Amino acid sequence: MESMRRNDQAMLQYSNIDFSNVTKKKIIGVEFFESIYAIKEENRRQYVLSLAEQRAQELTVSRQFNKGWQTFLRSKAKAGAVTGNRTNFPEQPLTLNAGDWIADGDGVKRMVRDRYGNLKVEYASHIPVMPLEILQNTGEGTEKIRIGFYKYGRWNKILAPRSTVASNVKIVELADMGLDVTSDNARLMVKYLAEVTALNTDRIPVVKSCRHMGWSGNEFLPYTEDMKLDSESQYQDLIASVSSLGGLQEWIDYTGELRKNKVLRLTMGASFASPLIAKVSALPFVFHLWGGTGVGKTAGAMVAASIWGDPRPGKLTRTMNMTVNSMMQMASVLRNLPFFGDELQTIKSRFENYDKLIMQVTEGINRGRMTDTALQQQMTWENAFIFTGEEPCTQNVSGGGVKNRVIEIECTDNVVNDGNGVVNFINKNYGLAGPEYIRFLSDCSIQELFEEKMKQILAETDTSEKQAMAMALIMMADELAGLAFYCNEAPLTVEDVKPFLKVQADIDAAERSFREIVGVIMEHEVNFKPDVNTARWGRMGTDFVLINKFVLTRELQALGFSFDAVKKKWAEKGYLLKSTSGRYANFTKVDNAKDYYVRLKYDGM
């Protein structure tokens, strides 16, 4: 007991603090904590801290003492952060205030004191890491942060949502992108990035961002310095494809010769038209080249893609062997840049026909989808879809809405001659016209030119408004591209494009269905004659045919039409003669058997 007392007295003398006179109020006060913190020698400070804890227990304020001491240490760390170290990474793009973190070529670490005041090292990262940029998506009200990390002798960059970088669990996902973060150092990495970001609000650039390319107000991404894309991590390959290589004048001279082919020129026109759709409040449309192999359809589409970027397959030109949802996601990222899909027939096995696909991509918006917690943001787009394939994408039974949305051209002759030479050239010269074209548009009266083209087409052809709209966009874009790049080129005329426009009879379901059913009746005239050994469909007059309603509905359905959907239009056009009571079918007798029959105009044509 005596030895213990002598030891305590020695420790008290060693500490230079008379603990017998320390009161409750004093032992949990800041001045007392400062006196302990002022002791520089680690062993001595630990002894003094132990004595202080013992005295706090005697005074029954042990809990308050420990809590106060920890709070005091945190305040000291925070005070150190205010003065702060500076990042000293190799080849660092920014110099930031690192607070109490030591950020140099060895990584990111800090010295902390344990509960006894002993110093120890905590590593947030063993490689240089720093926040580089904050991207604010003003449209969606979200933020992302660009993080740089020095690895393999160079600075690498990744873009991540702020919620990912703020979560000890989610930040580990960035390990897939090269960041050296594990479940062991995730907490410290999150803390370091948060503190350094907060300390450098005046140094870290903050820029406006957008999740899609194309128009954002008067800016056009990626051709602007005032706004950046924040969706590069999800669609890296697609966004990286909108790039440039080679020489603009060489591209102009080369494609100027190719444009002597009208089909190739129209394909380029559809590509140039894509950014104009939003400017004139028009609808997305499909431009489809179809025909046998070896006529240069794919090469022609790649020439049109080279306006904006890398036209190679897997870059801007994509195989159509993908889901419709993937297609819509890509379209929403392109937004106002054209979508290029090659070999449409590769998805034929998934569709009875292409009608549903065409309607979905030309609507410009996807269906809303629910997650477990919320409604996902809807995807929208306002662009042209340029497809190639071995067959037309609309059929005789396609609805008028589908046919209206498609400009399709059968390629009986070569779209380009020397396809290999063309592809080799544009693979080395691309993405140069796009920025110049967008700049050129700022001085053009787009709306007036569009309305003028629409009026010309509607006045000189028997097409629909939607067909006229799509072709007016192509003709307008072709003229603007001519003014921007091909000075000696005459604009396309309505006569030039007239062969590629559908007339009303091709679009109107009532017209097409009546034409088809007349063909069926002509094929089965024997079924309308009396005293024959076949199923009786009705009877024929001099200028009409009386056909059993059940038979008519069945045959129309086999052709892809509905009697109920077309009967009113037939009556309005005079193709169907109503009964005296105004009914579309008469209950009458044929061959001594009564049933419902429909009277149709028919002259045996």
Side-chain angles (χ1 to χ4, degrees):
M1 192 73 177
E2 183 64 29
S3 62
M4 288 178 64
R5 188 179 294 108
R6 284 197 301 270
N7 187 46
D8 287 348
Q9 288 174 350
M11 289 176 65
L12 288 170
Q13 185 178 3
Y14 190 51
S15 71
N16 291 329
I17 298 175
D18 184 3
F19 281 94
S20 62
N21 294 325
V22 175
T23 65
K24 283 185 179 182
K25 184 176 181 181
K26 183 175 181 180
I27 202 169
I28 58 175
V30 175
E31 289 185 7
F32 188 77
F33 293 145
E34 287 282 5
S35 64
I36 299 176
Y37 192 78
I39 300 172
K40 303 301 181 184
E41 187 180 339
E42 292 301 318
N43 288 336
R44 184 181 174 199
R45 182 188 291 178
Q46 186 173 349
Y47 280 136
V48 172
L49 189 61
S50 297
L51 289 171
E53 287 181 331
Q54 183 178 338
R55 179 59 178 166
Q57 287 176 354
E58 292 172 356
L59 297 171
T60 66
V61 289
S62 176
R63 182 177 166 187
Q64 293 94 321
F65 174 81
N66 288 326
K67 186 175 180 181
W69 177 243
Q70 295 301 322
T71 302
F72 175 81
L73 289 178
R74 284 195 295 270
S75 68
K76 282 295 183 183
K78 188 175 181 180
V82 173
T83 54
N85 301 309
R86 292 284 184 266
T87 57
N88 187 27
F89 298 132
E91 304 172 30
Q92 62 183 17
L94 295 173
T95 300
L96 301 179
N97 180 358
D100 63 345
W101 297 91
I102 301 169
D104 55 25
D106 293 328
V108 179
K109 60 183 179 291
R110 67 177 179 179
M111 307 301 292
V112 296
R113 297 185 183 278
D114 59 19
R115 63 188 300 269
Y116 299 108
N118 298 321
L119 285 172
K120 66 176 184 178
V121 179
E122 286 185 337
Y123 270 93
S125 174
H126 288 279
I127 62 171
V129 178
M130 65 193 308
L132 299 177
E133 189 177 47
I134 303 294
L135 276 68
Q136 289 185 334
N137 191 313
T138 54
E140 299 176 7
T142 58
E143 281 192 1
K144 291 187 178 181
I145 184 168
R146 197 182 304 278
I147 300 169
F149 58 95
Y150 192 77
K151 196 174 183 181
Y152 309 126
R154 67 180 186 275
W155 279 95
N156 304 270
K157 301 174 184 178
I158 55 178
L159 187 65
R162 292 294 294 265
S163 59
T164 297
V165 180
S167 168
N168 298 344
V169 176
K170 290 182 179 180
I171 197 170
V172 179
E173 297 171 5
L174 302 183
D176 292 336
M177 303 171 73
L179 186 65
D180 285 355
V181 58
T182 67
S183 55
D184 292 331
N185 71 327
R187 179 183 63 83
L188 291 173
M189 180 76 81
V190 167
K191 189 173 183 63
Y192 161 70
L193 290 172
E195 290 180 357
V196 171
T197 301
L199 286 169
N200 293 274
T201 54
D202 58 334
R203 292 183 177 89
I204 299 174
V206 178
V207 297
K208 292 180 180 179
S209 69
C210 188
R211 65 171 292 274
H212 61 78
M213 293 184 278
W215 298 109
S216 181
N218 292 322
E219 304 292 339
F220 194 95
L221 282 80
Y223 308 141
T224 176
E225 297 296 325
D226 299 328
M227 187 170 286
K228 293 188 177 181
L229 284 160
D230 61 16
S231 56
E232 61 188 51
S233 56
Q234 302 101 308
Y235 304 99
Q236 186 173 1
D237 290 344
L238 181 63
I239 292 171
S241 299
V242 184
S243 56
S244 60
L245 181 70
L248 176 59
Q249 192 56 53
E250 289 89 338
W251 182 89
I252 293 171
D253 293 342
Y254 192 88
T255 57
E257 286 298 311
L258 298 178
R259 286 168 63 84
K260 292 177 181 178
N261 182 294
K262 189 185 297 183
V263 173
L264 187 281
R265 184 170 169 180
L266 285 168
T267 308
M268 292 183 71
S271 183
F272 277 121
S274 195
L276 305 178
I277 293 173
K279 289 298 182 182
V280 299
S281 301
L283 297 171
F285 65 90
V286 171
F287 182 91
H288 180 55
L289 298 177
W290 68 277
T293 58
V295 294
K297 303 184 301 295
T298 299
M302 289 175 66
V303 171
S306 73
I307 295 167
W308 309 105
D310 190 340
R312 289 176 296 169
K315 300 298 184 178
L316 276 186
T317 304
R318 298 287 173 135
T319 175
M320 291 293 287
N321 191 17
M322 64 174 73
T323 65
V324 176
N325 192 51
S326 297
M327 198 181 305
M328 291 189 293
Q329 286 179 344
M330 289 178 60
S332 72
V333 175
L334 291 164
R335 189 57 174 267
N336 303 110
L337 293 175
F339 178 99
F340 295 91
D342 192 30
E343 302 296 348
L344 181 64
Q345 70 278 356
T346 58
I347 59 172
K348 186 176 182 181
S349 61
R350 280 184 266 146
F351 300 93
E352 184 179 343
N353 53 51
Y354 304 117
D355 291 5
K356 184 177 179 182
L357 169 67
I358 291 168
M359 292 301 292
Q360 284 182 295
V361 299
T362 56
E363 281 176 354
I365 187 169
N366 73 319
R367 292 183 301 167
R369 295 176 181 270
M370 285 293 295
T371 64
D372 291 338
T373 57
L375 180 66
Q376 288 183 341
Q377 183 178 8
Q378 284 192 313
M379 298 179 290
T380 60
W381 55 90
E382 297 172 288
N383 51 3
F385 291 80
I386 299 174
F387 295 158
T388 68
E390 295 180 355
E391 60 186 16
C393 60
T394 65
Q395 310 297 325
N396 286 337
V397 296
S398 296
V402 172
K403 287 183 172 289
N404 260 327
R405 289 167 163 80
V406 178
I407 302 290
E408 52 188 340
I409 299 176
E410 182 181 7
C411 303
T412 53
D413 299 319
N414 285 345
V415 179
V416 296
N417 297 315
D418 187 18
N420 287 335
V422 169
V423 169
N424 286 335
F425 177 83
I426 61 171
N427 282 347
K428 297 174 184 175
N429 296 270
Y430 57 75
L432 303 153
E436 293 298 321
Y437 178 68
I438 295 299
R439 280 192 282 271
F440 179 78
L441 293 181
S442 62
D443 297 323
C444 300
S445 301
I446 296 173
Q447 188 66 43
E448 293 178 13
L449 184 57
F450 173 69
E451 290 173 1
E452 178 186 327
K453 298 293 184 187
M454 274 280 288
K455 288 178 182 177
Q456 289 178 358
I457 294 171
L458 290 172
E460 299 178 36
T461 68
D462 181 32
T463 193
S464 68
E465 284 197 8
K466 287 182 180 177
Q467 279 276 289
M469 182 185 294
M471 190 58 81
L473 283 164
I474 294 172
M475 290 179 67
M476 173 174 65
D478 175 81
E479 184 170 330
L480 293 172
L483 293 171
F485 306 116
Y486 310 104
C487 301
N488 298 321
E489 191 178 72
L492 290 171
T493 65
V494 175
E495 284 300 313
D496 291 325
V497 303
K498 194 173 182 179
F500 311 113
L501 287 167
K502 295 179 178 67
V503 296
Q504 290 287 359
D506 296 327
I507 299 168
D508 189 335
E511 287 286 345
R512 289 186 291 116
S513 59
F514 187 74
R515 197 165 58 229
E516 293 286 338
I517 201 63
V518 166
V520 171
I521 292 170
M522 290 177 66
E523 182 183 355
H524 293 85
E525 278 192 355
V526 66
N527 295 85
F528 294 88
K529 293 180 179 180
D531 305 323
V532 292
N533 246 352
T534 60
R536 192 73 185 274
W537 285 13
R539 71 167 179 264
M540 288 184 177
T542 55
D543 58 356
F544 72 91
V545 61
L546 205 60
I547 182 170
N548 184 282
K549 183 186 175 185
F550 173 80
V551 173
L552 175 61
T553 302
R554 182 192 68 198
E555 295 302 316
L556 279 172
Q557 192 172 4
L559 295 168
F561 300 102
S562 165
F563 173 66
D564 288 333
V566 298
K567 63 185 181 183
K568 184 178 179 181
K569 281 284 186 71
W570 280 3
E572 290 173 357
K573 293 174 178 287
Y575 301 153
L576 183 153
L577 305 175
K578 291 184 180 181
S579 69
T580 54
S581 59
R583 296 180 181 275
Y584 293 102
N586 300 304
F587 190 67
T588 188
K589 185 186 292 186
V590 172
D591 287 346
N592 297 317
K594 280 195 169 184
D595 206 342
Y596 284 97
Y597 289 85
V598 178
R599 186 184 294 266
L600 299 180
K601 178 182 176 182
Y602 180 76
D603 55 9
M605 52 185 171

